[in-house]
Amino acid sequence: AQSVTQPDIHITVSEGASLELRCNYSYGATPYLFWYVQSPGQGLQLLLKYFSGDTLVQGIKGFEAEFKRSQSSFNLRKPSVHWSDAAEYFCAVALYSSASKIIFGSGTRLSIRP
Amino acid sequence: DGGITQSPKYLFRKEGQNVTLSCEQNLNHDAMYWYRQDPGQGLRLIYYSQIVNDFQKGDIAEGYSVSREKKESFPLTVTSAQKNPTAFYLCASSMGDWEQGQFFGPGTRLTVL
C-alpha cells in the first residue's frame, strides 16, 4: 500500500543550527512531492513541491528539499533555522493523476532552542 | 486579498446534533477539499469537489455530508452519525491544474460535549 513516513515525531534544534526533516514514501512510480508547514491552530502553507527535473528544489522561507529516487526520500533542509520556524511540518505525496489521492505524513514538530 | 476563510474558528456541539462548517474561497479555484486532522496524525480527506454541483467521497466520508452549489463555497456538515467528530477541520482549494499545490484555510476546531 502507498504510504508516507515521517520518522521523526519531534525535533529540537538550536537557533542558527542547520535542519533536516526526513520524509520517505512508498509508491510504485515517482509521485508528486510536497512539503507544508503549519503554525499552531492554523492552516497549512505550501513550502515547496517537486514534480520533475532538478532534484534539488528551493522553496519559501529559505527551505530546500532534495528528491532521491534511490532512497524514496524527499528530505527538507534549512541551513540556519530561526525561532519563527518552530511549527509542524508535513510531507505529502500524490499520484500524478489525482489530487484527491494526496497522502500526508503524520508530521514532524519542530522546536527551536534559544 | 485572496484566500480561504473558515468559520467559525471554534465550534461546540452536543452529541446528536448536526453542525455545518463554512468554507469560502475567493481564489477562483475549481477544486475544494475537506480534511480532518487529529493529534499526531496527518490530514485525512473527507470529501472533495472538482467542479460545481459535483463532489466525491474521500477516505473517511462516513458521517459527513457536503454541497457545492457555488464555486466559492463548500460547506461541510458533521452529522450525528459521525462517531468521533471532535477534531480540527481544514478546508483547502486548488486550481484545476492542482499541481500548484493546495491552499488551506485557517481551520475550525470542533468539540463535541
Side-chain angles (χ1 to χ4, degrees):
Chain A
Q2 292 110 351
S3 65
V4 180
T5 302
Q6 293 182 248
D8 304 305
I9 296 173
H10 183 204
I11 286 181
T12 301
V13 299
S14 298
E15 189 167 17
S18 63
L19 170 71
E20 182 169 30
L21 302 181
R22 296 183 290 167
C23 174
N24 294 94
Y25 65 90
S26 172
Y27 269 95
T30 299
Y32 288 40
L33 299 157
F34 306 85
W35 273 100
Y36 286 88
V37 61
Q38 182 182 35
S39 297
Q42 300 297 316
L44 278 68
Q45 181 182 21
L46 180 66
L47 284 175
L48 47 79
K49 59 186 184 290
Y50 172 79
F51 296 150
S52 64
D54 191 346
T55 57
L56 183 64
V57 294
Q58 302 297 320
I60 62 172
K61 304 186 179 189
F63 286 93
E64 66 179 27
E66 185 172 14
F67 168 61
K68 293 185 177 180
R69 185 190 307 274
S70 61
Q71 299 177 17
S72 297
S73 69
F74 189 56
N75 294 349
L76 182 72
R77 301 195 295 247
K78 187 170 185 178
S80 176
V81 298
H82 185 262
W83 64 266
S84 60
D85 293 324
E88 187 109 22
Y89 292 80
F90 291 93
C91 179
V93 301
L95 296 176
Y96 71 96
S97 61
S98 174
S100 67
K101 291 301 182 182
I102 296 174
I103 298 178
F104 287 82
S106 56
T108 297
R109 183 160 63 93
L110 174 65
S111 298
I112 305 297
R113 191 184 301 119
Chain B
D1 288 338
I4 301 178
T5 57
Q6 292 185 243
S7 61
K9 188 170 180 63
Y10 300 96
L11 189 56
F12 299 88
R13 84 152 210 221
K14 296 180 180 180
E15 280 192 32
Q17 290 181 336
N18 293 354
V19 63
T20 297
L21 283 59
S22 169
C23 177
E24 304 277 335
Q25 54 99 0
N26 60 2
L27 298 167
N28 198 34
H29 284 172
D30 292 313
M32 297 186 74
Y33 313 80
W34 274 106
Y35 290 93
R36 171 180 171 138
Q37 185 178 25
D38 294 286
Q41 298 188 36
L43 280 65
R44 292 183 290 168
L45 183 64
I46 304 173
Y47 269 99
Y48 67 100
S49 168
Q50 293 180 300
I51 57 172
V52 174
N53 292 322
D54 185 57
F55 48 83
Q56 305 295 328
K57 293 182 178 180
D59 300 319
I60 56 166
E62 185 175 352
Y64 299 97
S65 65
V66 294
S67 63
R68 186 87 186 276
E69 297 177 0
K70 299 186 300 182
K71 186 175 185 177
E72 301 79 17
S73 179
F74 192 42
L76 173 74
T77 296
V78 184
T79 75
S80 56
Q82 168 52 233
K83 300 302 180 188
N84 185 22
T86 295
F88 191 52
Y89 291 87
L90 287 161
C91 179
S93 70
S94 66
M95 299 284 286
D97 54 343
W98 62 270
E99 294 88 349
Q100 296 307 308
Q102 294 172 310
F103 290 79
F104 283 82
T108 292
R109 184 166 299 281
L110 173 64
T111 303
V112 174
L113 304 173

